[in-house]
């Protein structure tokens, strides 16, 4: 794998995409200095279409909420994620149309989708609009339309990677994307096509390298005594976990859990980094025998595995491979295993929306590797970006609660516990709530004709899903945690860990050690990378006892 090429591309792509989306915003009268009228119907003398008016208004609302710089950053990485997802799918022939979006069969930057447009079978494609673009020789506009339509067509099977057409991110799709030196052109020409066949590596390294300059800037601010804000925590703490470390952790936690209840030398032989238990004293052997008798009653679909700080999903993807191997020893086919793993086994969380999106995509592509029809089976993994309840509209909450005392009790507590969740991530503790009642109410709302319906599905349902994952306990907790000393934490995070994790408060990674203990079942495993100072320094004495 050409990591140097990947690094150069990712760093430059971030700059180009931020510039590109900013230029598009400028076309609609929006800059870092202001945006004019929120409900503008004309910009620079040009009348906006009704769709443009709505999208522009959505964009302005986002800027008011998050700030111009943050919104431009988020839109840029949203398009970056979609571009690399489409590139991965086209190279591996995973696109349902089997027609390449960025290249031709020789690998050149000549989008096959443009040449085959008259024979293209793509849901939502308006052939009259296509004919109009062709007649007017508007190749760039045609390609933009095809690209957006392709993203929209993938929404049903991959909804957390590709949103439906019409959102404000569509408005900010950069101009001149067919130029050879555009982000798309360089993505095709600079990164060897064979590198796109290694799903975990290409996604993980692109994610890490894309954040290089933001990470450098964050650490430069630390030297000026500017603490790390919640928006910058991901860039400051994320590291791509090397493959051998992932395999070592997964094989000796998830793998050990299964092997100790279902001895299988052939399965062990597939795991290069699996270590057999050393000889133990008699009383320890007796205790282990009792614990292993519990494991023996497990079926593959009973196992729950979580990475609470999942990044781009490297650990979850290898756990998926190991789970498929386990299912096969139980007589279950790879195809049936893939669906069951998405439904029953794999869980993941991260505070970084972009990382969570990539992890979700990586897990779905791993499922596609084992079942080529997985996109049509209507199953989605329990892999989420952590969301917070801050700013949730009161009238929406009242509509959702629907004067039900049980819903009121459960949802109000959920909102309280997920306040500022983007700051705290998986170290938050969430109560055992009546999640069945909360999900039942969401199902009622799906069938309701209400102005609140979409808000509930887009804002409240994710809160419930994240809280549900946080409230459970797991057979295997496996992670590479964030590393951040207490001196670099913002006041909110610093006060939180002092109050809730007094034994491990000195570093976020040691806080995560305690969090993983809480997430694991009594006889479960947890595997993680940690800093060695907790084994020797006096400030961690209470943690060592624990």
């Amino acid at each position: 794998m050409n990591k140097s090429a990947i690094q150069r591309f990712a760093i430059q792509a971030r700059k180009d995409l931020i510039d590109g989306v900013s230029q598009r915003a400028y076309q609609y009268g929006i800059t870092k200095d202001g945006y004019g009228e929120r409900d503008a119907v004309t910009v620079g003398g040009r009348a906006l279409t009704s769709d443009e008016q709505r999208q522009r208004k959505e964009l302005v609302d986002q800027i008011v909420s998050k700030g111009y710089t943050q919104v431009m950053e988020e839109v840029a990485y949203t398009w970056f994620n979609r571009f690399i997802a489409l590139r991965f799918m086209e190279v591996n022939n995973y696109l349902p149309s089997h027609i390449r979006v960025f290249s031709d069969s020789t690998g050149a930057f000549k989008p096959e989708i443009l040449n085959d447009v008259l024979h293209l079978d793509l849901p939502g494609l308006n052939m009259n609009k296509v004919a109009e673009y062709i007649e007017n020789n508007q190749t760039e506009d045609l390609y933009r339309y095809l690209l957006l339509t392709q993203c929209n067509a993938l929404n049903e099977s991959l909804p957390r990677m590709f949103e439906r057409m019409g959102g404000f991110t569509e408005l900010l799709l950069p101009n001149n994307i067919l130029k050879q030196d555009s982000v798309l052109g360089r993505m095709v020409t600079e990164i060897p096509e064979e590198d796109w066949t290694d799903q975990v590596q290409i996604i993980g390294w692109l994610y890490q390298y894309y954040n290089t300059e933001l990470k450098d800037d964050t650490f430069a601010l630390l030297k000026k005594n500017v603490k790390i804000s919640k928006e910058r925590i991901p860039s400051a703490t994320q590291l791509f976990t090397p493959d051998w470390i992932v395999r070592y952790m997964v094989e000796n936690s998830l793998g050990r859990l299964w092997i100790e209840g279902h001895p299988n030398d052939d399965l062990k032989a597939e795991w290069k980094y699996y270590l057999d238990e050393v000889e133990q004293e008699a009383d320890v052997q007796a205790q282990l025998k009792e614990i292993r008798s519990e494991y023996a009653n497990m079926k593959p679909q009973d196992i729950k595995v979580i990475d609470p700080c999942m990044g781009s999903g490297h650990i979850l993807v290898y756990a998926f491979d190991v789970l498929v191997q386990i299912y096969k020893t139980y007589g279950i086919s790879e195809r049936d295993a893939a669906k069951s793993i998405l439904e029953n086994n794999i869980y993941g969380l991260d505070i970084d929306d972009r990382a969570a999106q990539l992890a979700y995509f990586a897990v779905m592509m791993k499922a596609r590797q084992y079942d080529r029809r997985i996109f049509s089976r209507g199953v989605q993994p329990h892999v989420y970006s952590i969301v917070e309840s801050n700013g949730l509209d009161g009238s929406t909450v009242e509509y959702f609660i629907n004067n039900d005392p049980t819903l009121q009790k459960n949802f109000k507590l959920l909102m309280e516990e997920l306040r500022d969740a983007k700051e705290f991530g998986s170290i938050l503790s969430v109560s055992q709530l009546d999640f069945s009642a909360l999900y039942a109410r969401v199902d009622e709302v799906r069938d309701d004709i209400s102005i609140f319906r979409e808000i509930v599905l887009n804002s409240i349902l994710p809160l419930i899903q994240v809280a549900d994952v946080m409230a459970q306990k797991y057979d295997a907790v496996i992670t590479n945690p964030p590393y951040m000393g207490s001196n670099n934490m913002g006041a909110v995070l610093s006060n939180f860990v002092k109050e809730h994790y007094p034994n491990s408060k000195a570093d976020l990674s040691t806080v995560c050690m305690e969090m993983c203990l809480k997430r694991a079942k009594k006889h479960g495993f947890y595997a993680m990378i940690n800093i060695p100072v907790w084994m020797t320094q006096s400030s961690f004495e209470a943690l060592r006892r624990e």
Side-chain angles (χ1 to χ4, degrees):
M1 174 167 284
N2 191 339
K3 291 182 186 176
S4 295
I6 294 170
Q7 183 176 23
R8 285 193 301 272
F9 165 73
I11 292 173
Q12 188 61 43
R14 177 175 174 268
K15 295 176 183 176
D16 291 347
L17 284 170
I18 291 175
D19 286 345
V21 300
S22 299
Q23 288 169 12
R24 287 286 296 180
Y26 176 77
Q27 288 179 230
Y28 291 92
I30 298 170
T31 69
K32 63 180 179 180
D33 298 321
Y35 49 81
E37 294 182 27
R38 174 179 177 271
D39 300 317
V41 295
T42 63
V43 172
R46 182 177 73 86
L48 303 179
T49 67
S50 58
D51 284 342
E52 287 176 319
Q53 291 175 39
R54 175 181 50 77
Q55 291 168 330
R56 186 185 184 279
K57 188 184 300 183
E58 286 178 10
L59 175 57
V60 169
D61 289 344
Q62 287 289 309
I63 290 171
V64 170
S65 173
K66 298 178 180 179
Y68 175 87
T69 301
Q70 183 64 24
V71 172
M72 294 303 110
E73 182 81 60
E74 290 181 2
V75 176
Y77 74 57
T78 296
W79 279 114
F80 184 77
N81 280 6
R82 290 177 188 167
F83 292 159
I84 65 176
L86 286 170
R87 179 60 171 157
F88 177 84
M89 293 180 77
E90 75 169 11
V91 169
N92 291 281
N93 198 25
Y94 285 177
L95 289 171
S97 67
H98 302 291
I99 294 176
R100 290 185 169 220
V101 180
F102 303 130
S103 60
D104 62 14
S105 58
T106 70
F109 179 49
K110 294 178 180 178
E112 200 171 59
I113 199 170
L114 270 175
N115 295 332
D116 292 355
V117 64
L118 296 178
H119 310 289
L120 192 60
D121 182 17
L122 202 60
L125 187 65
N126 184 331
M127 291 308 296
N128 290 329
K129 187 177 276 191
V130 168
E132 186 178 332
Y133 284 132
I134 293 173
E135 185 177 339
N136 294 325
N137 201 29
Q138 295 173 289
T139 306
E140 173 88 18
D141 291 332
L142 172 60
Y143 184 63
R144 291 173 66 87
Y145 173 63
L146 293 176
L147 183 58
L148 290 167
T149 305
Q150 175 65 86
C151 289
N152 187 61
L154 290 168
N155 169 264
E156 187 172 349
S157 52
L158 297 168
R160 286 177 243 160
M161 177 58 78
F162 300 102
E163 69 180 29
R164 287 196 179 279
M165 286 177 71
F168 71 90
T169 53
E170 175 185 327
L171 196 72
L172 299 186
L173 173 61
N175 297 320
N176 302 316
I177 51 178
L178 278 177
K179 292 176 65 177
Q180 286 294 323
D181 62 350
S182 69
V183 171
L184 300 185
R186 290 189 298 101
M187 179 176 65
V188 172
T189 58
E190 294 180 10
I191 302 177
E193 189 156 308
E194 58 267 22
D195 287 356
W196 292 95
T197 60
D198 189 338
Q199 168 198 342
V200 168
Q201 298 288 329
I202 189 69
I203 293 174
W205 288 118
L206 281 167
Y207 169 61
Q208 175 152 321
Y209 290 140
Y210 185 93
N211 281 335
T212 298
E213 292 195 338
L214 185 60
K215 186 172 188 174
D216 291 344
D217 183 58
T218 300
F219 282 105
L221 288 172
L222 280 174
K223 292 179 181 178
K224 299 177 182 178
N225 203 31
V226 178
K227 303 301 182 184
I228 298 174
S229 65
K230 67 179 178 181
E231 291 82 11
R232 286 177 177 261
I233 291 175
S235 65
T237 59
Q238 59 84 25
L239 282 172
F240 182 62
T241 315
D243 193 58
W244 75 267
I245 297 177
V246 170
R247 290 172 181 267
Y248 176 83
M249 291 196 296
V250 172
E251 289 169 11
N252 289 287
S253 53
L254 169 61
R256 185 180 301 281
L257 179 81
W258 183 258
I259 288 292
E260 292 191 352
H262 308 78
N264 186 313
D265 289 337
D266 292 336
L267 193 53
K268 277 199 299 184
E270 295 189 52
W271 299 336
K272 181 178 178 180
Y273 299 98
Y274 183 84
L275 300 177
D276 283 311
E277 181 70 55
V278 297
E279 190 67 25
Q280 300 286 356
E281 296 177 358
D283 61 331
V284 177
Q285 288 181 18
Q287 293 178 61
L288 288 173
K289 184 178 180 180
E290 184 178 338
I291 292 171
R292 288 164 182 165
S293 68
E294 296 177 22
Y295 299 159
N297 295 323
M298 267 189 167
K299 298 176 182 177
Q301 52 267 40
D302 297 332
I303 303 171
K304 288 189 175 184
V305 184
I306 187 171
D307 182 347
C309 318
M310 64 186 173
S312 55
H314 194 173
I315 289 170
L316 294 179
V317 167
Y318 186 59
F320 201 113
D321 285 329
V322 170
L323 283 162
V324 168
Q325 294 168 357
I326 289 171
Y327 271 87
K328 287 169 69 178
T329 66
Y330 211 72
I332 298 172
S333 70
E334 289 184 352
R335 185 189 67 183
D336 292 338
K339 181 174 183 291
S340 182
I341 290 167
L342 293 179
E343 291 177 323
N344 302 307
N345 301 121
I346 292 282
Y347 295 78
L349 296 169
D350 203 280
I351 58 171
D352 185 359
D353 294 342
R354 177 169 172 261
Q357 195 176 55
L358 290 174
Y360 159 78
F361 177 73
V363 169
M364 287 299 292
M365 292 304 101
K366 179 56 67 172
R368 170 61 178 79
Q369 178 183 320
Y370 291 111
D371 177 8
R372 61 190 182 89
R373 291 193 173 89
I374 195 69
F375 296 160
S376 63
R377 301 198 190 282
V379 58
Q380 296 288 312
H382 308 284
V383 174
Y384 305 112
S385 173
I386 293 173
V387 288
E388 55 189 17
S389 57
N390 308 33
L392 198 58
D393 181 66
S395 55
T396 303
V397 174
E398 291 306 312
Y399 163 77
F400 181 75
I401 291 171
N402 199 30
N403 294 318
D404 184 318
T406 301
L407 283 175
Q408 181 174 25
K409 177 184 175 183
N410 280 274
F411 192 69
K412 288 294 178 70
L413 180 57
L414 183 154
M415 286 182 61
E416 183 180 321
E417 293 180 337
L418 288 184
R419 190 169 305 280
D420 292 321
K422 282 288 189 188
E423 184 102 33
F424 310 127
S426 289
I427 64 174
L428 279 174
S429 294
V430 173
S431 303
Q432 285 290 343
L433 306 173
D434 187 349
F435 287 103
S436 58
L438 292 168
Y439 284 124
R441 174 59 180 150
V442 171
D443 288 340
E444 289 178 358
V445 172
R446 288 185 200 277
D447 300 325
D448 196 6
I449 301 174
S450 167
I451 59 172
F452 295 111
R453 180 180 177 276
E454 291 304 312
I455 303 176
V456 169
L457 297 180
N458 294 328
S459 299
I460 288 182
L461 176 57
L463 281 169
I464 297 169
Q465 291 169 325
V466 167
D468 191 7
V469 172
M470 283 187 168
Q472 296 184 50
K473 288 190 177 290
Y474 297 86
D475 300 290
V477 183
I478 314 168
T479 197
N480 183 0
Y483 303 89
M484 187 200 303
S486 57
N487 291 338
N488 295 334
M489 296 178 186
V492 175
L493 179 57
S494 178
N495 291 334
F496 181 87
V497 298
K498 287 175 183 175
E499 179 181 354
H500 296 281
Y501 294 92
N503 293 346
S504 56
K505 62 187 177 184
D507 191 274
L508 199 53
S509 66
T510 45
V511 168
C512 285
M513 289 174 64
E514 282 202 82
M515 176 269 291
C516 288
L517 275 173
K518 295 175 182 178
R519 290 279 189 274
K521 293 179 181 177
K522 182 180 179 182
H523 291 152
F525 285 86
Y526 86 90
M528 64 181 289
I529 305 171
N530 54 37
I531 54 176
V533 293
W534 74 274
M535 301 174 71
T536 55
Q537 289 187 359
S538 59
S539 56
F540 291 112
E541 185 175 348
L543 178 63
R544 288 195 291 275
R545 288 202 186 98
E546 186 181 356

